[in-house]
Amino acid sequence: MSMTRRIQSIISLLLLSFHPITPKSIELIDKSGKLAPNRDLIGLATRTGDESVIIASVGLSHLRKDQFLNSAFGTNFKVDESLVKDHDCPACVDGTPGVILINCNGVTSDNEAKTTALSAEVANVIIVNILRSDLGRNLPENAKTLKSVFSQKLENFSKDMAAAAKVPLIVLVHDCEDDIEQSFVTENANEILKSAWDESLTDYSLSDLFEVTIKPVPHPKYNAKKYAEFGPIVRDLACGNQMRTETSKFAPIIKSAWASTLGKAVPMISDEGREVYFIEGAYTEAVNELEGTLSTWRMASNRGKMIGGYGKRADRMYASLLEEFDRKTIRFAGNPLRSERRRGLVGMMEKEFADAFRRQVAIASSASLKRFKRKMNGLLNAEKLNEENVSSLLRKTIFEFESKATEMVLENISDLSFEAEYEELEGELYDFEEKFGESPAAQ
């Protein structure tokens, strides 16, 4: 080997030592229902330590839960925020010191529902993921997820009631507003749990089997700081219970549980129910993005600031949100809910953009009046206060306001006019000009 190649090899090894490769998560169950190789499961479990908390995170894949799990537990799950595309695998597993985390990606197929049941069977702690927009509605996907978990735990509980300890059940409600009330989240999330539990047809209560904790999770885009702080809170909550599993037993436990789960019936979800979820998900995504931008614009308006290029920016957002919603839901064009949510999105954008337009026009009008007063004083100080200069300043001020206001008008919203504001400003300018001319300083 030449000296040059030796040096290159040494450099490559040094780079690898400074940039260690982060272990990737393992595909626990593939789409065909095949379990991961035993050696992979043993290797993953071993790197977490002698004993670990087995955590099952359940819920559909379109909840940003992959991103949250990575943030909270330091895992390396593939992040996929698509609302339409199915996840690559029904369940993945990853591990960090003291934690083995099974990430179940949906219940829209028989295989996915069974992996949820499998996870519930082997887990020391269960995390259920739902969206803020799910509160107050009994979506079939949430019901199916919960029923898969409940039925499995009920079976285990019935076999050995004396030895059964309550399982921590942490419900994470994603994409919550900053000021949302905990009592509101708790009440509505409990209703979702109760509805699914009542269908289990059992004499036991939910509290006989589970220790329920409900937490609102902020939106990662619109409150990144609070979102980052929330991860360790959930980790401490999940890892704080005393139940642990010997990691040497993880692989055989999974193998035995999967063999048992494959032969069980699972609650199915109708095509209509699947459509409802995708439509509601697309609507929620659009509303969240809209609200995030609007909150920034409101802050600017409250400080009396102009939003640069407001008209064009609002028009682009209007078109892009509607286009994205249509793209994600076009295959459900015959569903009445799609039409209803589309109308709701259009109505929301028209109202919010019109309100923002009014605030911006009012700020522009106020700025024009202030600028006119300042320039009138400038003319006076420069001894140039005469009828010709004042008339020129009046025309220029009104023209500049009209130009700015015209640029704010949205093409996508009809009947958006600033005629009233124009007339009001014009009157205020002439009133000030008249009073200014009569003032002792001007005389």
Side-chain angles (χ1 to χ4, degrees):
M1 183 183 292
S2 68
M3 181 61 68
T4 302
R5 291 186 64 184
R6 285 178 183 174
I7 293 173
Q8 288 174 342
S9 298
I10 292 170
I11 292 173
S12 298
L13 289 171
L14 287 171
L15 287 173
L16 283 173
S17 66
F18 284 113
H19 300 280
I21 298 172
T22 304
K24 292 184 178 180
S25 59
I26 295 173
E27 188 176 86
L28 180 62
I29 310 289
D30 65 19
K31 288 188 175 182
S32 68
K34 184 179 178 181
L35 190 65
N38 206 49
R39 63 179 181 277
D40 291 349
L41 297 178
I42 292 172
L44 182 142
T46 301
R47 75 171 188 248
T48 69
D50 294 333
E51 288 187 339
S52 292
V53 182
I54 300 178
I55 302 173
S57 175
V58 301
L60 295 187
S61 60
H62 322 296
L63 300 174
R64 260 187 288 275
K65 63 188 180 72
D66 303 331
Q67 178 181 353
F68 182 78
L69 294 175
N70 292 343
S71 172
F73 296 94
T75 47
N76 193 29
F77 292 112
K78 178 183 177 183
V79 176
D80 182 3
E81 298 186 25
S82 169
L83 283 168
V84 178
K85 177 180 171 290
D86 289 332
H87 206 280
D88 292 338
C89 67
C92 296
V93 61
D94 201 357
T96 56
V99 175
I100 297 174
L101 213 155
I102 303 173
N103 184 18
C104 298
N105 295 308
V107 289
T108 54
S109 71
D110 184 74
N111 238 12
E112 290 170 346
K114 287 181 177 178
T115 60
T116 297
L118 162 72
S119 302
E121 182 170 352
V122 303
N124 305 124
V125 178
I126 298 171
I127 297 176
V128 175
N129 299 271
I130 62 176
L131 282 172
R132 160 68 177 88
S133 58
D134 296 347
L135 299 181
R137 298 183 295 144
N138 187 19
L139 292 180
E141 291 80 4
N142 291 336
K144 187 177 178 183
T145 298
L146 291 168
K147 285 161 70 176
S148 294
V149 170
F150 292 161
S151 62
Q152 186 60 57
K153 284 303 182 185
L154 274 169
E155 182 180 329
N156 294 348
F157 184 78
S158 301
K159 289 177 182 177
D160 193 0
M161 288 180 285
K166 287 187 179 182
V167 177
L169 182 70
I170 304 170
V171 182
L172 299 182
V173 184
H174 294 265
D175 293 358
C176 286
E177 313 92 294
D178 294 346
D179 58 351
I180 196 167
E181 294 287 340
Q182 174 71 52
S183 58
F184 171 82
V185 176
T186 300
E187 180 182 349
N188 283 275
N190 272 325
E191 280 298 316
I192 294 174
L193 295 176
K194 182 179 182 300
S195 177
W197 182 262
D198 289 345
E199 293 184 33
S200 301
L201 302 177
T202 176
D203 293 331
Y204 301 114
S205 68
L206 183 66
S207 59
D208 287 334
L209 277 73
F210 298 99
E211 185 177 333
V212 178
T213 304
I214 297 168
K215 292 287 186 182
V217 181
H219 197 291
K221 181 177 179 181
Y222 306 126
N223 196 336
K225 184 174 182 292
K226 189 175 179 182
Y227 181 84
E229 294 171 350
F230 198 78
I233 294 173
V234 174
R235 181 187 173 93
D236 291 344
L237 185 63
C239 298
N241 85 96
Q242 299 304 309
M243 289 187 287
R244 297 287 190 276
T245 298
E246 293 180 27
T247 52
S248 61
K249 297 179 179 179
F250 176 69
I253 288 173
I254 285 287
K255 186 175 181 180
S256 173
W258 184 236
S260 171
T261 304
L262 281 174
K264 297 174 183 176
V266 294
M268 293 307 295
I269 183 171
S270 65
D271 290 339
E272 182 181 356
R274 181 181 173 87
E275 289 182 14
V276 167
Y277 177 77
F278 284 127
I279 293 169
E280 293 288 13
Y283 175 76
T284 301
E285 285 287 315
V287 170
N288 285 340
E289 185 172 346
L290 173 65
E291 184 55 39
T293 300
L294 288 172
S295 64
T296 303
W297 288 353
R298 290 189 196 107
M299 289 173 61
S301 295
N302 291 339
R303 295 196 301 266
K305 302 294 184 181
M306 295 295 297
I307 300 167
Y310 170 75
K312 290 182 178 179
R313 290 172 66 182
D315 261 328
R316 283 197 302 268
M317 170 158 273
Y318 182 101
S320 66
L321 288 182
L322 209 53
E323 181 182 348
E324 188 68 4
F325 176 83
D326 288 343
R327 184 185 67 79
K328 292 174 178 176
T329 61
I330 189 64
R331 56 177 170 156
F332 313 126
N335 193 311
L337 179 64
R338 178 183 185 265
S339 300
E340 180 183 338
R341 289 290 178 260
R342 194 180 192 278
R343 286 195 301 270
L345 179 60
V346 169
M348 184 183 301
M349 288 193 293
E350 289 183 348
K351 177 185 180 302
E352 295 293 348
F353 288 153
D355 288 348
F357 169 78
R358 292 288 166 220
R359 288 192 293 271
Q360 286 293 292
V361 169
I363 292 170
S365 175
S366 176
S368 294
L369 182 58
K370 288 179 182 178
R371 190 161 50 251
F372 177 77
K373 291 178 179 179
R374 187 172 63 251
K375 289 189 175 183
M376 285 287 284
N377 280 310
L379 289 175
L380 176 63
N381 293 334
E383 298 183 353
K384 295 181 179 179
L385 188 67
N386 54 56
E387 184 175 348
E388 182 181 352
N389 287 338
V390 170
S391 296
S392 175
L393 180 58
L394 277 168
R395 289 194 302 271
K396 183 179 180 181
T397 302
I398 292 173
F399 175 77
E400 287 178 348
F401 167 76
E402 184 178 18
S403 297
K404 288 184 178 180
T406 300
E407 290 176 355
M408 297 178 200
V409 176
L410 279 72
E411 295 180 1
N412 289 307
I413 301 178
S414 58
D415 302 325
L416 202 58
S417 167
F418 55 89
E419 184 177 348
E421 290 85 351
Y422 179 95
E423 292 178 355
E424 182 179 355
L425 174 63
E426 189 177 38
E428 289 177 336
L429 291 173
Y430 279 108
D431 284 346
F432 178 81
E433 183 269 331
E434 184 177 345
K435 293 175 182 178
F436 189 85
E438 296 172 354
S439 66
Q443 294 293 329

